[in-house]
Amino acid sequence: MDRIPILRMGKFLLVTIQIDLYDRLATNLESDLVQMVNKTEAKGVLIDISALSIVDSFMGRILGNIGSMSKIMDAETVVVGMQPAVAITLIELGLELKGVHTALNVEKGMELLKEKIASDEEPPDETDEDSTE
Amino acid sequence: MKLMKIVLSKDSMKIEREQDVVPFRGRVKEYAVKIGMSLVNQTKLITAASELVRNMLKYGNGGVVLIEVISEGRDNGIRLTFSDKGPGIADIALAMKDGYSSGKSLGIGLPGTKRLVNEFDIKSTPGQGTTVSIIKWKNG
């Protein structure tokens, strides 16, 4: 069975989708990713879809699912590299890609993930830790 | 004078399994590229085709898609006709309403798909099947 490789990079998981996914491959990716998040305790998932020429409602749902499932497992998901024609089509189709963050490219996506995690992990300075609550 | 739609070429593809979806999208893309359709229009057409072919698999147990290159006046376009022998749709008006879905999809199926193309036509007879036909013009 074909699989989309998931790379681990520090606290993040990286996925680059290089081919148009048929359904089975997409659902495999969904479950593989959630298991990897659990196994590696990843705090972020970055999915590069720059090679995808279309995102239909099925693929949109898969991306949304990955986002929501990862969220429950305490990891943020960012989808990067969407082609402009795909973005135009998604909006006209009525898909909003809820539950995932988006960024223009891998670099910006990584920055976004780092910011998200920094703000999660480092609650305000010790000084106001006692005063709150 | 009313312009006539002329069929320039005809091709058809059987859709029986989920694995047929990606090759089918590839075939549609080939024709769209051949007539010089813009990338945005190609993407809209292929996305619409993908939605309809999935519907056909899910509700109609697959079927046949006719792929035609057509021309009307100066414009060329692609017409896709999806025919299945599934259970049919009892209430088409309801199926075309935004947010309605009988399956477990996002409910954007038919109305969303309609927005992506220039012409959209659906005929269905309960118990006999459904035929959906869409046209995307090269410059539409």
Side-chain angles (χ1 to χ4, degrees):
Chain A
M1 193 78 226
D2 301 332
R3 290 205 124 78
I4 303 286
I6 301 171
L7 307 179
R8 185 181 173 184
M9 203 178 120
K11 291 177 179 167
F12 304 134
L13 297 178
L14 299 182
V15 179
T16 302
I17 303 174
Q18 299 279 11
I19 50 164
D20 270 328
L21 300 182
Y22 53 90
D23 299 16
R24 188 62 187 279
L25 208 52
T27 46
N28 276 349
L29 175 66
E30 183 184 293
S31 58
D32 286 354
L33 256 178
V34 178
Q35 274 164 29
M36 276 287 271
V37 168
N38 178 277
K39 210 165 75 186
T40 64
E41 294 179 22
K43 299 302 267 177
V45 176
L46 186 138
I47 306 173
D48 175 20
I49 60 164
S50 55
L52 279 191
S53 56
I54 77 152
V55 173
D56 62 2
S57 62
F58 174 81
M59 193 58 211
R61 190 164 68 239
I62 294 282
L63 291 173
N65 284 354
I66 290 173
S68 322
M69 290 173 186
S70 304
K71 187 87 194 168
I72 297 174
M73 315 276 289
D74 196 25
E76 300 284 342
T77 303
V78 56
V79 170
V80 306
M82 184 181 293
Q83 291 179 17
V86 172
I88 293 169
T89 303
L90 270 184
I91 296 308
E92 238 166 80
L93 187 61
L95 263 181
E96 294 170 47
L97 279 195
K98 281 188 201 131
V100 297
H101 305 289
T102 50
L104 216 49
N105 53 38
V106 176
E107 207 179 329
K108 295 217 164 89
M110 284 303 255
E111 271 168 33
L112 182 70
L113 276 183
K114 280 179 191 148
E115 273 168 35
K116 294 265 170 215
I117 286 158
S119 61
D120 274 0
E121 277 185 349
E122 289 158 32
D125 304 73
E126 312 85 56
T127 42
D128 39 43
E129 235 169 47
D130 307 315
S131 53
T132 46
E133 301 200 31
Chain B
M1 195 185 83
K2 200 177 180 299
L3 292 168
M4 292 267 290
K5 290 190 179 84
I6 301 160
V7 177
L8 302 176
S9 83
K10 238 181 210 189
D11 189 1
S12 77
M13 208 165 155
K14 233 187 224 170
I15 305 291
E16 287 165 331
R17 311 171 299 156
E18 169 229 291
Q19 284 94 317
D20 297 334
V21 173
V22 172
F24 164 70
R25 291 200 306 228
R27 184 87 66 95
V28 174
K29 190 182 174 84
E30 260 172 50
Y31 283 101
V33 169
K34 210 184 275 176
I35 65 165
M37 193 179 276
S38 74
L39 184 63
V40 171
N41 280 352
Q42 271 181 44
T43 308
K44 288 181 182 176
L45 171 68
I46 298 164
T47 307
S50 190
E51 296 294 326
L52 291 172
V53 90
R54 281 186 199 291
N55 274 351
M56 195 165 86
L57 278 168
K58 191 151 82 181
Y59 303 111
N61 289 318
V64 178
V65 188
L66 185 64
I67 307 168
E68 293 168 305
V69 177
I70 58 171
S71 89
E72 186 184 63
R74 283 187 192 161
D75 213 355
N76 282 3
I78 306 280
R79 177 163 64 197
L80 302 174
T81 308
F82 302 76
S83 314
D84 70 55
K85 293 189 164 46
I89 302 168
D91 188 343
I92 288 181
L94 184 63
M96 290 305 296
K97 244 169 87 176
D98 250 326
Y100 175 80
S101 172
S102 61
K104 75 172 204 9
S105 60
L106 290 173
I108 54 165
L110 291 177
T113 305
K114 189 179 177 183
R115 282 194 293 269
L116 296 178
V117 295
N118 301 113
E119 291 181 33
F120 183 103
D121 185 53
I122 179 167
K123 289 188 184 74
S124 186
T125 313
Q128 287 182 25
T130 305
T131 301
V132 180
S133 160
I134 57 173
I135 295 175
K136 186 78 187 167
W137 297 111
K138 180 180 152 186
N139 302 310

